Amino acid sequence: MITAKNIQRSLFLCGCTLFFVNLETHAQKAAAQQKDSVIQGQTIQITQIYQPEIRQPQKPALIPVLPPPDTSKPKFQYVVPQQTLSYTYHSIPIRPLALGKQESETTFQNYAKAGIGNLTSIYLDAGLGSIKGDHYQTAFHLSHLNQKGKLSNQQSGFTDFTGSGNYYASGHDFSAKLNVRNRRHRFYGYDDDTYQYGGSAIQQSLTDGSLTLGARNIEKNSLNIDYQPEIGFGLLGDNFSAKESRFTFNLPAQWHFGQMPSDSIPYSPYGKISLGAYGNLVRLDNAGKSTGNNLIKINPAVDVTIENARIHFGLSPAFGRNSKAWLLPDINVRAGLLNNHLTAFAGWKSDVAQNTYLDLSLINPFIDNIFDVQQSETDQAFAGFNSTAGKFVTFGATLSWRQWSNLPLFINDYAENPDGKRFQVIYSPRVQAFNIDAFIRYQPSEIIALSAQGSWYNFYKTTLDQAWGYPSLKMEGLIEVHPMKKLQAHAGFSLLNGIYALDNAGHSKALPGIFDVHAAAEYNIIPRFSVFLQANNILNNKYQRWNQYQVYGLNIIGGFRFKF
């Protein structure tokens, strides 16, 4: 009887028989090859006769039909240019995401603003930014303000012109910036009943010009290194024969390691290693004397991000005038807590201030141009936080310990000028203070926003009697409203207190506190034309920021803005 089991057994026996027969055949061939190691030549000849033939085409039958409906979903490709971050030791303006690529067009890129007001105020402000192409862009800005107060010889003026350009080629952004600035004022801080001066004797005019050239990579390279070298030239002069020239260079570079975590990349530490060189070579020529004021720094640093914490460690050797050298730490740690709703930070930072004629005149415009040049070291150890409360409130605070070596102070020079109209620059060998900075901002909507910030200094240790000229309390508040599309306005206040001065008898005195209220509004009549009104010192307070120099009273300026 034939069954399935018997069939399987028969097939198995046949397979085994064929296997052993094949194995024996291969063994015989292998033995034959071992006996005769010479391979006989063989020739294979293939003959083929090709007859070309042309096939007769058939006439197609054309039947008009509608194309089938397209039921596939379209796939859109969005190409977002790679964002290139610029790393530098100084703050730089924000650039568009796609430099040299297609840019969003703004309605009006040029404007001219003009106004007049009391105190013989003349105000001009204009900007031009429409000159640009696919590979370049330029910007020009001009501002001017001239005022005359009610006091004798109380006059001041300010004119500033800035032109900048960028050219994009070979993965780089080449930039140039020219700035020319003129500041005019009169030394009116004296008793005009006792002293009489001609206009040229008390007229001060400071003109400063600078040119900066730079380049930076806007595309990543094979070495993953970002760089942004800059060089600058500057010259400051006044109408009392003082000149200050400067040459500045900044050569920062950063190498990035690791990658930011994402869905496809597991978490790992990432960051950058920085190395840069900075120099500011300054020379002041005045009264037949030439004084060097140079500073060179090497800036190595490491930044590492580990989960929600970022660590920055830098240690910069610096070399100043008179062969003086410093080792300047720059260390800070930032950590995100409570699901990044709270950011805590702490650190220690040191730096060197050159105290150039330009720097000091921007702090106090009434200084004498003949002064002792010394460089100051600053130290700050700090800890603080930034946080949010709900969706609309952000706030933060910082507690610092500060120390200054050779801090420049400003006192009325009664020795050389008995009227005290000019300020002498002296240096306090050591000043120490505790400092609290705080801010808060509340913005429930685009219609209104409120903000305030303040800074308090407790100068608990000074080599001299006081830190003359420096306020111990500074506060500012601002409210911004945008009630309708065509109207925007803001109002705020400034508060300064704890300013000390030195009188003609050599005694320290506290100046009255400063409280200044200001406001401004602008209304668009048509898209191209708007009117504005701004007011400063609305309460018409007679305070003194610098001893013997009463500020302007109520100042109101109104005018128009034209956009094109």
Side-chain angles (χ1 to χ4, degrees), residues 266-284:
Y267 180 80
S268 62
Y270 64 94
K272 64 179 181 179
I273 297 176
S274 306
L275 179 62
Y278 169 82
N280 189 20
L281 312 180
V282 182
R283 180 163 297 277
L284 176 62

Side-chain angles (χ1 to χ4, degrees), residues 65 118 150 233 302 328 334 388 404 464 493 497 500 556:
V65 293
N118 67 330
K150 297 181 180 180
F233 310 88
V302 178
L328 307 174
R334 301 179 69 90
T388 60
W404 297 268
L464 302 178
F493 73 90
N497 201 7
Y500 285 86
I556 300 176

Side-chain angles (χ1 to χ4, degrees), residues 86-93 228 230 248-250 252 278 297:
S86 298
Y87 299 88
T88 178
Y89 295 101
H90 302 283
S91 58
I92 61 174
Q228 188 177 358
E230 282 186 350
T248 306
F249 63 88
N250 189 23
Y278 169 82
K297 294 192 295 184

Side-chain angles (χ1 to χ4, degrees), residues 398-456:
T398 304
L399 174 64
S400 304
W401 173 83
R402 292 178 178 267
Q403 178 176 267
W404 297 268
S405 300
N406 293 332
L407 178 66
L409 307 179
F410 306 94
I411 61 174
N412 299 83
D413 186 6
Y414 297 106
E416 297 293 334
N417 302 278
D419 52 18
K421 64 180 182 297
R422 292 176 180 263
F423 281 82
Q424 179 185 3
V425 179
I426 62 174
Y427 297 89
S428 179
R430 190 169 301 278
V431 176
Q432 295 178 345
F434 287 111
N435 168 226
I436 297 177
D437 296 302
F439 76 92
I440 186 171
R441 181 174 178 84
Y442 173 64
Q443 186 171 359
S445 66
E446 296 180 356
I447 298 177
I448 186 172
L450 297 91
S451 61
Q453 59 184 4
S455 183
W456 173 74

